[in-house]
């Protein structure tokens, strides 16, 4: 069976993770092509609804990447993001999608390698979890390809 | 049936009174209370009958009081404000009086959170101060709590209240005692005394204001079975102060039960000799009723005066 | 404000299990301020419910609308067209809103998404505390501006009870004893003598015990 390619949305803070993504690019680091990066003015601007929306639209995984504790450009945006992520993880557990599909990571601007590692780790994690039942295209693919192998 | 409370007669005649406590059972058999009542009969002037103490369901204090009365001891019916509204309170108290009960102790009651029905709705329609005030009006002004006249046979209770010198704010505890006396309290039983120094300071303030001239104060004492019981009270019962020395003394004792009794007897003797303004003791031998006769005897309070 | 909290999402899901199309109605009043049932929370709940139902192979069409206030008939009138083909309405308002919706939309299954808790205010963002018990006859002028009806665990009017210690209530070490607060404040104001007056029993007929209450202001009523 061909490997499932997860669709992952990464909400990245402009002051750290997003810059780190650029850095990873200029360092010519290979990282998972499954990541769709969304630039955020601060990880703290993430909202419960936006995360759920990504899942509803078919994302297999979502993560928020913000600065190290104490390094937030807006002082506490990352702390707030961490709390919101925890709250949405709980909702995901309750409704049966599973909180594991969502995570928060600290990715400082200077660490292109960390950006790549987080992207690869999350891709691997979601690959293990399998496609989200809401990911119509993945389910379709799996069925079609499954048919081929049969 | 005499209209006058024996306890009142003992106190009003200036004698040092002794009261104890009987906790009604968590079932419907009166055997245990009768046994305790008979055992204590000659050693105390009256016994409190607790009212669903610590909010644990037990036999009604009035029903248990009837059994105790049948055994020849005068009950002090405890009535908390937690479980009854003013209608039920008055009705129950009319009933208690009709059964021959003459003493009532008015209290707020422990919050139901501590009991075996924490999901219950509490009442607190009126508070203990208002209960005292209205019981006095029932007797002296022949009026129900609403102001309606009681046309005949108004209950003439000897009205008691509690005071806790160990709760906060300390300065206000004497004020609140005075307020209860103003409301109509005729006798006061205090919370268990372990911190004698604080109790003496409390009594000093009481005497300064002459409150001891207007009300009979009975000092509450509790014999402790073990250092664990003492330490539990120290840490878990709000409104108690148990000094460390006491816990240590029990811990180091060869026979902790004996030591507990000795401490209690020492306390009673000390209070009787040294703390002016105290008119009696109230022995709360919680779930240890059988030691009351010995405590009374060894404290030099036996035999009890004959009255009525 | 009225403070409410969301019920567990699975409890709400249970109430609308057999419905195919559901309207989630938020309220822009108190429950927006206490972050329980405003526009954002309504969207989140609808989204979560859609995901849940998709996972259960029982897809749900969830639509949302947030009223200015659900406790005012004129503001829920705007729902008249929206509710037409829905099987159920989930209200994210306090109990008042739920009832106004149920009254207006007589043939609809209307269910509550929130537990209405109390009236109070917020100390810091994310923390709300109860301040008033709606007793119907305020006595704050006698208690230094601190409500013993709701803040004293036993609603004592002549407190504090014997369980007050170190400023805390006997019920829980995290609860301030209202009567310690009252004492402190009256002392600071030099009005301790007021606490020596015996407060009479409260007239609870002015509270819920008189039956459901109504407030009427003839002078502001609009003639038909
Ligand atoms: S006294 Fe009554 S109206 Fe005033 S704050 Fe307390 S409960 Fe509310
Ligand atoms: S400790 Fe204070 S707040 Fe608690 S019940 Fe007693 S008087 Fe009320």
């Amino acid at each position: 069976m061909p490997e499932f390619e997860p669709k992952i949305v990464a909400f990245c803070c402009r002051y750290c993770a997003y810059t780190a993504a650029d850095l990873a690019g200029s360092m010519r680091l290979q990282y998972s092509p499954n990541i769709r990066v969304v630039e955020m003015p601060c990880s703290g601007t993430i909202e419960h609804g936006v995360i759920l929306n990504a899942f509803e639209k078919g994302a297999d995984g979502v993560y928020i990447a913000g600065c190290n504790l104490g390094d937030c450009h807006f002082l506490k945006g990352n702390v707030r993001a961490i709390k919101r992520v925890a709250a949405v993880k709980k909702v995901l557990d309750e409704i049966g999608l599973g909180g594991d599909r969502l995570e928060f990571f600290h990715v400082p601007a200077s660490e292109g390698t960390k950006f790549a590692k987080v992207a690869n780790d999350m891709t691997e994690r979601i690959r293990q979890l399998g496609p989200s039942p809401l990911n119509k295209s993945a389910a379709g693919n799996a069925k079609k390809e499954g048919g081929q192998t049969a | 049936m005499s209209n006058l409370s024996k306890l009142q007669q003992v106190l009003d005649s200036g004698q040092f009174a002794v009261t104890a406590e009987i906790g009604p059972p968590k079932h419907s058999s009166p055997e245990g209370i009768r046994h305790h009542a008979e055992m204590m009969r000659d050693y105390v002037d009256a016994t409190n009958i607790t009212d669903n103490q610590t909010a644990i369901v037990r036999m009604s204090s009035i029903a248990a009081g009837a059994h105790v009365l049948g055994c020849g001891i005068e009950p002090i019916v405890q009535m908390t404000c937690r479980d009854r509204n003013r209608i039920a309170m008055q009705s129950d108290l009319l009933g208690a009086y009709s059964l021959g009960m003459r003493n009532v102790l008015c209290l707020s009651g422990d919050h139901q959170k501590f009991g075996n029905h924490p999901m219950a709705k509490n009442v607190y329609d009126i508070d203990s101060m208002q209960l005292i005030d209205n019981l006095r009006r029932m007797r002296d002004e022949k009026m129900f709590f609403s102001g309606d006249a009681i046309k005949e046979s108004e209950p003439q209770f000897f009205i008691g209240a509690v005071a806790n010198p160990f709760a906060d704010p300390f300065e206000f505890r004497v004020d609140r005692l005075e307020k209860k006396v103003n409301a109509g309290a005729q006798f006061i039983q205090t919370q268990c005394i372990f911190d004698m120094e604080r109790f003496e300071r409390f009594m000093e303030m009481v005497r300064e204001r002459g409150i001891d001239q207007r009300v009979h104060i009975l000092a509450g004492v509790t014999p402790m079975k073990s250092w664990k019981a003492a330490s539990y009270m120290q840490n878990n019962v709000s409104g108690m102060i148990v000094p460390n020395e006491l816990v240590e003394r029990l811990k180091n004792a060869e026979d902790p039960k004996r030591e507990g009794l000795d401490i209690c007897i020492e306390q009673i003797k000390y209070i009787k000799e040294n703390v002016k303004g105290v008119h009696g003791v109230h022995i709360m031998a919680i779930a240890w009723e059988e030691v009351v006769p010995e405590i009374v005897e060894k404290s030099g309070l036996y035999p009890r005066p004959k009255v009525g | 404000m009225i403070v409410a909290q969301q019920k567990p999402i699975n409890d709400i899901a249970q109430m609308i299990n057999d419905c195919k199309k559901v309207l989630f109605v938020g309220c822009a009043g108190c429950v927006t301020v206490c972050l329980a049932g405003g526009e954002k929370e309504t969207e989140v709940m609808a989204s979560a419910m859609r995901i849940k139902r998709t996972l259960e192979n029982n897809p749900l069409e969830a639509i949302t609308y947030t009223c200015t206030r659900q406790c005012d008939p004129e503001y829920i009138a705007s729902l008249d067209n929206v509710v037409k083909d829905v099987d159920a309405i989930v209200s994210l308002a306090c109990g008042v809103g739920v009832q106004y919706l149920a009254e207006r939309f007589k043939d609809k299954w209307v269910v509550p998404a929130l537990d209405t808790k109390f009236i109070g205010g917020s100390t810091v963002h994310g923390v709300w505390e109860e301040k008033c018990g709606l007793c119907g006859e305020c006595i704050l002028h006698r208690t230094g501006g601190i409500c013993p009806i709701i803040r004293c665990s036993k609603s004592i009017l002549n407190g504090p009870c014997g369980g007050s210690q170190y400023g805390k209530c006997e019920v829980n070490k995290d609860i301030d004893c209202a009567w310690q607060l009252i004492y402190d404040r009256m002392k600071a104001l030099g009005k301790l003598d007021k606490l020596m007056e015996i407060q009479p029993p409260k007239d609870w007929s002015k509270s819920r015990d008189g039956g459901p209450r109504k407030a009427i202001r003839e002078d502001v009523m609009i003639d038909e």
Side-chain angles (χ1 to χ4, degrees):
Chain A
M1 210 166 80
E3 248 189 331
F4 144 65
E5 289 303 334
K7 260 194 291 186
I8 296 173
V9 183
F11 292 98
C12 295
C13 159
R14 159 190 307 165
Y15 292 96
C16 54
Y18 195 79
T19 312
D22 270 352
L23 186 61
S26 50
M27 287 164 80
R28 310 212 176 279
L29 290 172
Q30 289 289 327
Y31 65 84
S32 164
N34 304 56
I35 309 297
R36 274 66 161 175
V37 174
V38 179
E39 183 185 0
M40 309 281 283
C42 168
S43 63
T45 58
I46 193 67
E47 290 194 10
H48 307 67
V50 172
I51 300 174
L52 282 178
N53 208 259
F55 282 114
E56 247 196 293
K57 294 268 155 60
D60 298 299
V62 173
Y63 66 87
I64 324 298
C67 309
N68 276 340
L69 288 178
D71 289 347
C72 174
H73 189 75
F74 300 101
L75 305 175
K76 286 196 173 158
N78 49 357
V79 177
R80 291 180 185 149
I82 290 168
K83 288 191 196 164
R84 278 177 220 154
V85 164
V88 178
K89 269 171 162 295
K90 197 167 155 269
V91 172
L92 292 174
D93 280 334
E94 280 168 1
I95 61 179
L97 192 60
D100 289 351
R101 292 187 182 273
L102 172 65
E103 206 51 77
F104 180 94
F105 295 105
H106 296 285
V107 181
S110 57
E111 295 192 26
T113 42
K114 173 128 193 225
F115 179 87
K117 181 172 172 0
V118 160
N120 295 336
D121 288 356
M122 192 65 181
T123 305
E124 199 38 48
R125 181 200 291 194
I126 302 298
R127 213 193 298 277
Q128 294 299 322
L129 290 171
S132 156
L134 291 108
N135 181 352
K136 302 257 163 39
S137 55
N141 276 343
K143 224 179 262 158
K144 197 170 77 210
E145 284 156 3
Q148 279 174 351
T149 31
Chain B
M1 203 167 276
S2 155
N3 254 4
L4 266 192
S5 139
K6 265 200 238 166
L7 176 64
Q8 180 167 17
Q9 294 178 56
V10 171
L11 285 165
D12 284 354
S13 61
Q15 304 182 75
F16 198 81
V18 178
T19 57
E21 188 168 286
I22 294 180
K26 294 188 228 175
H27 53 67
S28 56
S29 162
E31 291 309 313
I33 10 179
R34 284 219 186 102
H35 168 71
H36 287 140
E38 264 152 27
M39 199 183 63
M40 289 186 199
R41 182 169 51 215
D42 298 329
Y43 294 85
V44 301
D45 303 312
T47 53
N48 286 34
I49 313 292
T50 51
D51 179 14
N52 296 304
Q53 199 177 8
T54 60
I56 289 171
V57 174
R58 293 166 179 277
M59 183 186 290
S60 120
S61 57
I62 293 169
H67 295 298
V68 167
L69 196 59
C71 297
I73 301 202
E74 187 168 275
I76 300 167
V77 174
Q78 296 200 358
M79 171 126 324
T80 71
C81 299
R82 181 192 57 228
D83 307 325
R84 300 171 183 83
N85 70 4
R86 62 192 88 175
I87 300 172
M89 277 179 173
Q90 292 176 86
S91 142
D92 280 355
L93 289 170
L94 291 179
Y97 199 82
S98 79
L99 290 166
M101 295 167 210
R102 295 293 175 260
N103 313 297
V104 185
L105 186 79
C106 308
L107 358 77
S108 306
D110 299 315
H111 194 271
Q112 73 274 14
K113 185 204 161 193
F114 301 104
N116 58 357
H117 290 72
M119 67 300 278
K121 187 174 195 294
N122 63 32
V123 180
Y124 294 114
D125 176 22
I126 60 174
D127 65 23
S128 57
M129 194 72 67
Q130 296 158 347
L131 177 57
I132 297 164
D133 192 33
N134 280 286
L135 268 178
R136 178 190 51 76
R137 289 208 314 166
M138 266 183 139
R139 183 190 61 208
D140 298 347
E141 299 168 31
K142 303 186 188 2
M143 256 194 240
F144 286 109
F145 292 11
S146 61
D148 278 7
I150 304 176
K151 299 237 170 65
E152 57 180 304
S153 305
E154 73 287 351
Q156 304 191 337
F157 282 114
F158 184 43
I159 303 168
V162 293
N164 186 356
F166 311 104
D168 291 322
F170 180 63
E171 324 81 75
F172 193 64
R173 288 292 150 186
V174 180
D175 290 313
R176 191 153 185 266
L177 167 62
E178 187 171 13
K179 202 170 159 180
K180 284 185 174 177
V181 175
N182 293 344
Q186 296 165 285
F187 72 99
I188 299 288
Q189 292 174 326
T190 74
Q191 174 68 292
C192 323
I193 300 161
F194 298 112
D195 183 346
M196 194 59 74
E197 193 235 300
R198 176 144 160 164
F199 178 62
E200 292 196 75
R201 264 194 292 146
F202 176 83
M203 284 306 298
E204 203 176 300
M205 289 160 76
V206 166
R207 289 192 302 269
E208 265 165 28
R209 287 156 65 164
I211 304 172
D212 59 316
Q213 309 291 324
R214 300 173 55 208
V215 73
H216 301 295
I217 296 173
L218 279 66
V221 291
T222 287
M224 278 184 297
K225 279 185 189 168
S226 65
W227 73 268
K228 280 199 179 121
S231 137
Y232 179 84
M233 283 201 196
Q234 185 176 44
N235 300 314
N236 298 301
V237 183
S238 198
M240 286 252 195
I241 299 180
V242 183
N244 281 330
E245 304 85 75
L246 211 100
V247 182
E248 287 306 311
R249 199 175 144 184
L250 286 162
K251 214 178 207 167
N252 298 329
E254 238 165 68
D255 179 354
K257 286 191 177 177
R258 185 69 257 155
E259 193 75 10
L261 289 179
D262 288 346
I263 294 173
C264 184
I265 294 161
E266 280 168 30
Q267 283 173 328
I268 296 176
K269 286 184 175 163
Y270 182 87
I271 292 167
K272 188 163 181 278
E273 295 306 314
N274 303 294
V275 189
K276 293 206 179 52
V278 174
H279 299 178
V281 284
H282 175 49
I283 305 165
M284 289 168 271
I286 303 157
W288 203 14
E289 281 93 345
E290 56 277 15
V291 296
V292 170
E294 183 187 341
I295 294 175
V296 174
E297 220 174 323
K298 296 216 166 124
S299 307
L301 297 168
Y302 184 80
R304 302 305 311 143
K306 295 268 173 284
V307 292
Chain C
M1 84 184 106
I2 290 175
V3 178
Q5 282 179 332
Q6 278 185 12
K7 286 177 175 291
I9 197 147
N10 286 320
D11 290 4
I12 305 165
Q14 200 67 42
M15 301 176 199
I16 53 166
N17 212 8
D18 53 356
C19 306
K20 297 287 169 231
K21 182 168 180 183
V22 172
L23 169 65
F24 289 80
V25 190
C27 176
C30 310
V31 294
T32 294
V33 186
C34 68
L35 307 175
E39 194 173 357
K40 277 188 190 172
E41 292 78 24
T42 306
E43 293 300 339
V44 167
M45 183 171 294
S47 174
M49 210 60 86
R50 278 191 299 261
I51 296 176
K52 180 178 165 60
R53 292 281 293 263
T54 307
L55 296 176
E56 292 166 356
N57 280 323
N58 179 18
L60 172 75
E61 190 183 337
I63 54 171
T64 60
Y65 189 94
T66 299
C67 298
T68 307
R69 282 201 298 277
Q70 282 187 39
C71 56
D72 228 330
E74 65 182 272
Y75 290 117
I76 56 173
S78 46
L79 286 172
D80 289 359
N81 291 320
V82 195
V83 301
K84 279 209 178 83
D85 56 344
V86 303
D87 305 319
I89 304 173
V90 175
S91 166
L92 284 89
C94 69
V96 181
V98 183
Q99 295 184 59
Y100 269 65
L101 293 183
E103 251 166 60
R104 187 171 187 98
F105 307 113
K106 295 205 164 26
D107 56 339
K108 296 293 175 195
W109 177 236
V110 180
V111 300
L114 307 186
D115 291 320
T116 306
K117 296 284 184 183
F118 52 80
I119 68 167
S122 81
T123 40
V124 292
H125 202 66
V127 178
W128 295 271
E129 58 180 10
E130 185 164 25
K131 287 285 192 198
C132 167
L134 309 162
C135 77
E137 191 175 29
C138 196
I139 54 159
L140 287 175
H141 56 297
R142 293 196 241 140
T143 55
I146 292 150
C147 174
I149 305 288
I150 208 69
R151 294 174 65 185
C152 162
S153 305
K154 300 177 187 169
S155 298
I156 290 173
L157 296 187
N158 294 280
C161 78
S164 173
Q165 205 170 25
Y166 313 123
K168 299 296 171 185
C169 172
E170 70 170 37
V171 166
N172 190 320
K173 290 196 171 68
D174 298 332
I175 304 174
D176 289 331
C177 168
W179 273 99
Q180 174 77 52
L181 299 175
I182 294 170
Y183 175 82
D184 291 345
R185 184 144 160 80
M186 291 302 249
K187 189 172 176 187
L189 294 171
K191 290 186 189 299
L192 276 183
D193 52 315
K194 286 233 179 270
L195 293 186
M196 287 306 283
E197 293 167 16
I198 298 170
Q199 297 301 330
K202 219 169 153 48
D203 178 355
W204 291 112
S205 73
K206 300 210 161 80
S207 175
R208 208 222 57 96
D209 302 80
R213 292 169 275 180
K214 241 185 193 154
I216 299 174
R217 277 271 309 269
E218 295 279 0
D219 59 325
V220 296
M221 285 170 77
I222 298 162
D223 298 329
E224 290 299 310

